[in-house]
Structures are given as C-alpha cells and as structure tokens.
Amino acid sequence: MALVMLPCDLPWWPTIVRHLTQISEATNVKEMMDPMQRIHNLCNVGLDPDESDAPDLEVFKGLEKFLVEFLDEEERSVFFTQTLPCMAKRALDLKRLRPPNGLHFSLQQQVDRVEFERDFVASLLANGFFSTFPKRTAKTHPTLQDFNFTNFFRHLDLKYQQCKLLSILYYFNYLERLTNHDRKIVLARQVMNSSQWLTIEDWLHCKLPLCPLLIRRKGDIHSVGSDHIIVCSTRNRIGGAVLADGISMECVQLITCPEMLVILLCVEALEDNEVLITEGVLQVAKIFQPLGKVAHEKLQNPHMLTICCMDPEDYSEIPLLQLQQDSILRELNKALLGFRQKPPPNGSLPRRLSPIGESFSSTPEKDTILKKTDSKPTEHLQVNRRFIVLGSSGECLPITRNISHYSSCHSTSSPDADDIDDTLSRKVTGQLDERRSAFADRLKEALDRADEASTDSDQMSDSRFRRDGSCGFVLEGESEPNQSFCEDFPHQRAASSKYSFTTDYSSELECVYEQLGRWLDEDCPVPQDGDLKAIREKAVIQFAGNLLKRTLSESFVGISVTDGVQEEIPAKNIKIAARSLSLELARHRNKLAAQLASVVLNRNDDIMPLATYNWGCSSRKGEPQLKLLIQWLAASVALLPHILYFTAENSELNKLDTVCRVLLDRQWSVGELITSVLKYCEQKIFQPDDHDALDLFEQIIGIDEKCFYFDESSPDE
C-alpha cells in the first residue's frame, strides 16, 4: 500500500519547523522571504539526476513583487497580521493532524473512497504554499502532479494569476471564521471494470427514456450551488497547469475550491474507465472572464460542492477521431460512471505496488494512428478498434461483442488480429489464453457435477449437444424445441467439442455465477408478504426457467417447459445449471445491462441532479452537439432527476430547444438516440468533406420516425 511522503515524515522536519516559526513572526516581506528561500533550498530537490542541484534564487521574486506592488497598505497589513500567521500555524500542525495510517495514494484501477478532516487538508495546502514537499516532475512521477507552489509564484505578473492567489489567501482567512468543521472532505475514485463495462450493443438496446434537460444560455456553471453535482472537465492528471500559469475551466474550478488541490498530491492520473468524485469542498470565490478582463469575487457564504472530475479525450490533432465508436463509447461510459454517484459493485482490481513508474498513454492506439497518419487521416478512421487498452494494467475493455471466437479447451488459437496492431494482439491473446484455461477447468467441473446428478443414464447417452452464437450449449433431446426457441436461434451450428466455449464473457462469468449462487443458496419457499429477498429469488428462478430452454445441463433432461405455466424446477437442478446459465445471461447482457444496472444501483431518493457544460469542447476540439448528447444519454441511464446544461452561448447549440422538443414528442429512448448519433458519425467519417451535409442536430430533427442502427432480432449483423 503506497503512502504519500509528507514533510513531517522527513528527517529535516525540525529544520522546517524552525523556518515556519520564523515566517509566522514575520512583519515585512524580507523577514518572510528569507526563511521561505531556505525551505525551498532544503526541500525542493527532485529525483531526476539530470536536473541541476543549484538552488533557484529567483523563485519567490513574483510573490515578493505581488506583496509590495499589488496589495495596498491595508491589505498588506491584513496579510502579515492575520493570513500569514494562520497559514504558518496550519503548516506546523501537519504532524499532529496526520492520519494514524498516513496518507494513501489513490491508485489507478483501484476503487477508493477516503474522508479527510478539513483541518488536515488545510495543513497540506499550507505546506504546499511554503513548498515543503519533495519535488515531482513528469519524468520521476508520470502519473502525479507537483504539489509545491514554486512554479505558481513565477507567473504572478499576470492578472488572472493574481486572482488565483487571492482565492488561496481568502480561503485561509475564511477558515479562521468557520466554526462548523463537522462535514468532511471526500475523494472517491470510481472504476468501471470489464464486468461492468457497457459495449455499443448495451447502449443501442437500452430502452430507458431520456431524462429532462434544462437549458441555460446565460451564466456559467460556477454559479451553481450545492444542490447539483457539478461536472469539471479535467486532464487525466487532474489539475493541469493550475499550479503554474493555467487558466482553463479546470484550473478556475480547482483554484476557487482550493481544497480540491489536494488531488494533485495523492491522486494518480485517471484512465479511460475512471472518474473522481469530490464531496464537501468549499467554493470560496469566483473568477469571471478568465480570458478577458479578469474579475475576482469573494463569497461571503461559500458553498460546499460535490464535483465530478472526468477527463474528456483530446481531439485537437485529429478531430474526426471523436466520431469513432471506441471514442464515443469511452466518453459514454466515463460520463455514466461519474453521473451514477455510486461506485458499481465489485469495482476493485488488484492494487498497484507504487504510483511511481513507467508512463502509459490512456489510449495508446491513438498515438499509433497519429504516427501512421499522412495526408489522408480518414483512412485510419474507417477501422474501429476492438478494445480500449488500459495502460496501467493492460486490461482490454471491449468496444463491441460482435467478435465471438470459439476454440477447444486445449486449443491455442487466438482471436483474428488482422486489423489490430501486432503488439495489442499479442497482449490480448495472452490474456484470453490465460482466462480460457481457467474457464475451461471450471466448465469441466460443472459438467462433471451435472453428470453425477443425473439419474437417467439411458437418456443421457442419447443426448446430443450443439451450440449457437455465444450462448454456450443447447440441449437437443428427442422432443423438438418449441417455436419461440427456433425463432430466437435460427442459425444452429454443427456439433463440436463438448468443452468448446466462447472467450467473450470469460472475464465476467465468475461474478455472475457468484451472484446467482448467493441468491439460490437458500432452499426456502417464497413468501407472499412482499419480502424483497424472496421476490428477487423468485424472479431469478423464473428467469432461469425461461432460459433453460437455451442452456446446457443434463440435470434438466426430462423436465418439460411449456409455453404456458412453468413447472416447478428443483433448486438442486438450478444450482447445478448455474454456470451454464451464466453463459446465457452474458449473451443477453447487451440488452439488459444498462437498464438493470441503473435501476439496481441508482433507484433512491437522494440522487442529485447534474450541472454541466460543453465538456471537452474548447481547446480539445470536441463537437459541442455530440458532447451534449453523450452527457444527456449518460445522465438518462444514470436515472438523474434532470441535467442542467450551460451552453455558454455557443452558436452550434442554438437549435437545442428544438431538438429537446422533437425528442420529447417522439418519446425516444436512449437506444434510439444513440442509434441516430452513430449513424451521423458513420456518415461524417466516410464523407468528411461534404460541406452540404446536415449537422447532428439537423439530422435528428429531420428524422421522421424511429429507426434502429442494428436489428434487435439479429444483433450480430
């Protein structure tokens, strides 16, 4: 378990204490600058051997000029008599406030939720201001940010940088007046692993209605209070240049809520399936018009906000990349994960040993495309990637489930990788081979138990097995399958190895099987008093009975399943068939996952509505119309009460009112809207130079009736 190295853990902490004590007693700029320079010379030493060890004697010149020239006499007096002593005292309290088990890193691919005392966070910020932390660089800490303010002070000649510093100083002044420290600050890292990851088919078959969309053309998201969860568009290394000269929306959000700066200290960079939720952070100021005439406003009654930090992909080099299915799916799942406001179950993956190590791109395939792109970048856009590969763990998240591959238990064949990069193919093949071997053993055990449980050996010897698609095995006895069965599975395959199986769902079978096992362990009658557990068990048994017609299990030979009333099925038989049943559940997951997961995880009364804006659109060249619909779709699947959208008067969103009215009249579902979005993206990729083509909003408005991008009866086509 990796711990953050705090200044109070270092051997020179007594020296730092002596210098901080001198700073707390300073009455002028010179008395303050001398000990700050000594602290910097002592602590700000990096691990990079190529860096110069010579101390930087100019690092605090910007702060000195700010105090002397920018502040008037009264403001300077308040700074030296109130603000500076308060900050030095809080920095000195670090050892006393340090958690007994230390400060842990929030590691990549590790679900985490940590509560911090507000005084402890303030102490960390004060130490960052005085630059007492060891130095970090992108080379020595590729997934982390530097928490010292040394680079911040270099840019205090800029007006917006001065407003940023005023927010920090006001925060410490406000804390002295704040009497209620009961509510803690929460940092929650949420991860969507492979068993919870939704594919394109999952979204296409989602029947949930669109949630209400409230449009705000005036104002900005920083004026929203604590009654909404607020979206913050970040870099994957959250914070960006906030402690340098940054003035993006992300930097403004973090600097006006200074407690969010602790993210830079202990949170590793976000990957494609991760978001970070912060709760209970104080917004103490507002910064207006950061790119023009900057204005700073102190809030007399600061809000305690809940903020969702999620990083949109950067398409500034090749904007057409955002139209690919893998790009859209990445943004949809990331937004859904953040909007749910609850971490999905079983989300944790093996914890990494250290936050310091080799740097990986969150989307390595994009880098490959950039290197290969010549004068015709669209040639590389016509082939969709099959996987999103996570840099830290190498785990592969599927784009679509239409690439089923079969092999024998002992086969060494790998998926067809003609259109995948060779390196990625080898990585995927190795993971699938490992999972294939483990799953084959589990499947053999399940079949052996089914053989032992069977009492009719003659009937067993006459049974023949066959499979269809990725549904596992289907029993073909003497009796003919009913009509509904034939309609659902029109393309029967020839007989094959008894232990053949699909690799598409091997990563999630164990999770599904364990969940079914917990529900079916108790062989008790179902009461009629409305007990939730009993109702759930009854529903699972009924669902299992309907799917048994399509599932392999010798233990069900001789049990008829009629079109009318379902015969009672012994619980012992259901337990034996649970592993085989999980194959069928995995197949039908693409139609049920979005609906069931959202209902189970989010159906409660305390879900907050969402406030968001043109997420990832300005410098990252995201299409505002596409980004808006992605967030709307994710909010609908997350069952949010409504989404409050600030358009920033973007001209591309002028028809948003018409789109909302049209979709409301048509009563479109999530699946129908994503169908239209994908159709538009496909046309745009194959005809990028068609200047007469309709934009996304115009195309949606022009659709006369519902359409489906994939035929529901044949999702593999």
Side-chain angles (χ1 to χ4, degrees):
M1 186 174 293
L3 295 176
V4 179
M5 185 66 70
L6 299 177
C8 60
D9 299 326
L10 299 174
W12 48 80
W13 175 246
T15 305
I16 296 176
V17 169
R18 185 172 68 253
H19 293 322
L20 289 175
T21 303
Q22 295 174 353
I23 291 174
S24 66
E25 299 171 352
T27 58
N28 55 59
V29 173
K30 175 136 181 28
E31 292 178 1
M32 171 187 172
M33 291 299 143
D34 288 345
M36 284 192 68
Q37 185 67 52
R38 295 192 188 98
I39 291 176
H40 176 267
N41 297 343
L42 178 66
C43 302
N44 205 39
V45 178
L47 300 176
D48 188 357
D50 297 333
E51 282 190 324
S52 174
D53 294 333
D56 186 355
L57 302 179
E58 303 292 324
V59 64
F60 296 112
K61 290 296 183 181
L63 177 60
E64 181 178 355
K65 184 177 181 180
F66 170 83
L67 295 174
V68 173
E69 300 180 7
F70 182 78
L71 298 183
D72 58 31
E73 190 65 32
E74 181 180 354
E75 291 172 331
R76 195 178 306 111
S77 175
V78 171
F79 175 80
F80 282 106
T81 59
Q82 298 181 20
T83 310
L84 186 61
C86 167
M87 296 174 66
K89 178 180 178 300
R90 290 191 176 275
L92 289 168
D93 286 341
L94 181 61
K95 191 168 186 176
R96 176 178 63 85
L97 298 172
R98 177 185 182 274
N101 296 326
L103 176 61
H104 301 280
F105 283 103
S106 174
L107 300 177
Q108 291 177 334
Q109 301 306 311
Q110 178 63 43
V111 175
D112 200 4
R113 180 181 175 87
V114 184
E115 295 183 350
F116 297 103
E117 297 290 345
R118 198 172 302 277
D119 288 338
F120 175 61
V121 172
S123 181
L124 293 173
L125 289 174
N127 276 277
F129 182 88
F130 295 119
S131 302
T132 63
F133 287 92
K135 184 179 180 180
R136 295 173 179 172
T137 66
K139 183 176 181 180
T140 61
H141 296 74
T143 61
L144 296 167
Q145 294 263 50
D146 188 22
F147 193 59
N148 290 324
F149 277 59
T150 49
N151 289 328
F152 183 92
F153 298 136
R154 301 180 192 275
H155 307 283
L156 281 175
D157 56 323
L158 304 173
K159 178 65 175 178
Y160 63 78
Q161 195 78 351
Q162 296 169 359
C163 292
K164 289 163 65 177
L165 179 56
L166 290 175
S167 296
I168 296 292
L169 300 180
Y170 178 67
Y171 166 75
F172 286 100
N173 288 333
Y174 176 76
L175 281 187
E176 292 302 296
R177 307 196 309 266
L178 185 63
T179 57
N180 184 10
H181 288 193
D182 293 342
R183 184 172 178 183
K184 296 183 179 180
I185 299 169
V186 177
L187 296 184
R189 190 186 200 101
Q190 299 184 178
V191 181
M192 181 182 287
N193 65 22
S194 57
S195 65
Q196 299 138 5
W197 180 263
L198 302 184
T199 64
I200 288 295
E201 288 88 354
D202 297 332
W203 288 92
L204 287 170
H205 291 91
C206 180
K207 304 302 182 185
L208 291 172
L210 298 173
C211 71
L213 176 66
L214 308 181
I215 305 169
R216 295 290 182 271
R217 301 197 180 276
K218 301 290 185 180
D220 60 76
I221 198 169
H222 304 298
S223 61
V224 177
S226 57
D227 55 341
H228 285 70
I229 182 171
I230 300 173
V231 171
C232 180
S233 177
T234 69
R235 303 277 175 175
N236 63 335
R237 297 170 72 197
I238 300 178
V242 62
L243 291 186
D245 59 345
I247 195 58
S248 63
M249 290 282 288
E250 173 186 12
C251 296
V252 170
Q253 186 71 72
L254 266 68
I255 209 69
T256 55
C257 302
E259 291 163 339
M260 290 186 66
L261 293 175
V262 75
I263 295 173
L264 281 66
L265 178 63
C266 60
V267 177
E268 278 199 296
L270 298 178
E271 291 198 295
D272 291 330
N273 61 334
E274 297 179 317
V275 298
L276 186 78
I277 307 294
T278 62
E279 302 175 10
V281 293
L282 285 169
Q283 181 188 12
V284 298
K286 294 181 182 180
I287 296 179
F288 301 99
Q289 298 178 347
L291 299 180
K293 185 178 180 181
V294 185
H296 176 265
E297 177 186 348
K298 302 175 182 177
L299 299 181
Q300 298 301 318
N301 297 303
H303 308 295
M304 287 190 180
L305 303 181
T306 299
I307 299 176
C308 172
C309 299
M310 52 188 195
D311 54 314
E313 195 66 271
D314 188 354
Y315 303 108
S316 56
E317 296 189 58
I318 304 181
L320 276 179
L321 282 176
Q322 65 189 293
L323 303 177
Q324 288 196 133
Q325 283 190 6
D326 58 332
S327 300
I328 294 174
L329 184 64
R330 187 256 191 199
E331 309 291 67
L332 282 170
N333 281 336
K334 184 173 283 282
L336 174 60
L337 182 63
F339 298 170
R340 271 176 176 165
Q341 304 172 40
K342 277 187 178 182
N346 303 320
S348 60
L349 293 174
R351 182 180 288 272
R352 293 176 60 205
L353 296 179
S354 171
I356 304 173
E358 186 177 358
S359 177
F360 294 90
S361 170
S362 60
T363 53
E365 297 86 349
K366 177 185 172 184
D367 298 335
T368 303
I369 292 175
L370 290 177
K371 292 177 182 178
K372 295 180 179 179
T373 300
D374 299 321
S375 59
K376 297 181 180 180
T378 57
E379 293 180 0
H380 301 279
L381 298 173
Q382 297 176 8
V383 179
N384 285 327
R385 287 178 281 167
R386 292 182 174 183
F387 298 97
I388 295 176
V389 182
L390 304 177
S392 63
S393 62
E395 183 173 6
C396 299
L397 303 175
I399 307 303
T400 175
R401 302 194 193 280
N402 291 340
I403 52 171
S404 300
H405 298 276
Y406 297 91
S407 65
S408 174
C409 296
H410 306 291
S411 172
T412 58
S413 62
S414 62
D416 181 12
D418 292 340
D419 58 348
I420 308 178
D421 182 82
D422 290 340
T423 303
L424 177 59
S425 177
R426 288 192 295 270
K427 183 183 297 184
V428 174
T429 302
Q431 290 186 343
L432 292 181
D433 286 341
E434 182 179 353
R435 294 176 180 177
R436 179 184 297 116
S437 177
F439 175 65
D441 294 338
R442 294 199 300 270
L443 184 57
K444 286 182 180 180
E445 294 174 2
L447 292 172
D448 290 341
R449 288 198 300 270
D451 287 336
E452 296 173 359
S454 176
T455 58
D456 192 345
S457 59
D458 293 336
Q459 193 171 25
M460 284 295 302
S461 62
D462 293 334
S463 298
R464 300 185 302 276
F465 301 96
R466 66 186 179 183
R467 65 183 179 185
D468 173 73
S470 58
C471 66
F473 303 90
V474 181
L475 177 63
E476 183 182 37
E478 295 181 357
S479 61
E480 291 295 325
N482 59 28
Q483 182 64 25
S484 62
F485 176 74
C486 296
E487 291 174 354
D488 289 340
F489 299 93
H491 306 293
Q492 292 294 338
R493 288 180 171 268
S496 59
S497 172
K498 181 178 180 180
Y499 299 118
S500 296
F501 62 97
T502 174
T503 60
D504 282 0
Y505 307 109
S506 58
S507 63
E508 58 191 276
L509 290 178
E510 186 173 354
C511 176
V512 176
Y513 175 71
E514 290 176 355
Q515 184 178 10
L516 283 173
R518 288 195 300 270
W519 290 352
L520 301 173
D521 274 343
E522 299 179 6
D523 299 333
C524 57
V526 179
Q528 301 299 324
D529 57 356
D531 181 75
L532 180 61
K533 182 178 179 181
I535 293 175
R536 177 183 296 175
E537 182 177 357
K538 181 179 179 181
V540 171
I541 293 176
Q542 291 174 344
F543 187 36
N546 293 331
L547 293 180
L548 285 174
K549 294 177 290 185
R550 309 165 188 172
T551 308
L552 169 64
S553 176
E554 295 89 333
S555 59
F556 287 90
V557 173
I559 298 178
S560 62
V561 182
T562 63
D563 292 337
V565 180
Q566 173 73 48
E567 288 188 8
E568 182 179 0
I569 301 173
K572 180 183 71 173
N573 298 62
I574 296 179
K575 293 179 183 179
I576 294 174
R579 283 194 183 273
S580 299
L581 177 60
S582 65
L583 285 167
E584 185 64 16
L585 289 176
R587 173 176 172 80
H588 289 272
R589 177 180 177 275
N590 63 338
K591 296 183 181 180
L592 300 171
Q595 295 94 318
L596 295 182
S598 298
V599 171
V600 171
L601 295 175
N602 293 292
R603 184 64 75 184
N604 57 50
D605 297 330
D606 59 352
I607 293 181
M608 298 171 62
L610 179 76
T612 185
Y613 57 104
N614 302 328
W615 176 61
C617 290
S618 56
S619 62
R620 300 197 164 200
K621 303 301 180 184
E623 289 193 11
Q625 296 180 0
L626 178 60
K627 290 292 187 181
L628 182 147
L629 294 182
I630 285 175
Q631 295 183 82
W632 193 4
L633 289 163
S636 301
V637 175
L639 302 180
L640 299 187
H642 68 260
I643 177 172
L644 182 63
Y645 198 95
F646 290 86
T647 66
E649 301 183 89
N650 191 304
S651 60
E652 295 185 46
L653 301 179
N654 289 339
K655 298 179 181 178
L656 180 56
D657 299 270
T658 304
V659 171
C660 292
R661 185 173 64 255
V662 168
L663 295 183
L664 180 63
D665 292 341
R666 295 174 183 167
Q667 297 182 340
W668 268 16
S669 65
V670 168
E672 291 165 320
L673 181 54
I674 191 63
T675 295
S676 296
V677 170
L678 291 178
K679 180 173 291 187
Y680 163 81
C681 293
E682 180 179 332
Q683 294 173 353
K684 192 75 176 289
I685 288 176
F686 284 97
Q687 299 176 351
D689 299 326
D690 186 359
H691 300 292
D692 297 329
L694 300 177
D695 64 24
L696 180 54
F697 280 3
E698 292 171 342
Q699 182 166 306
I700 291 176
I701 295 172
I703 296 177
D704 294 330
E705 57 185 22
K706 301 177 182 179
C707 61
F708 293 92
Y709 190 74
F710 292 109
D711 185 357
E712 286 189 80
S713 63
S714 181
D716 291 339
E717 295 180 0

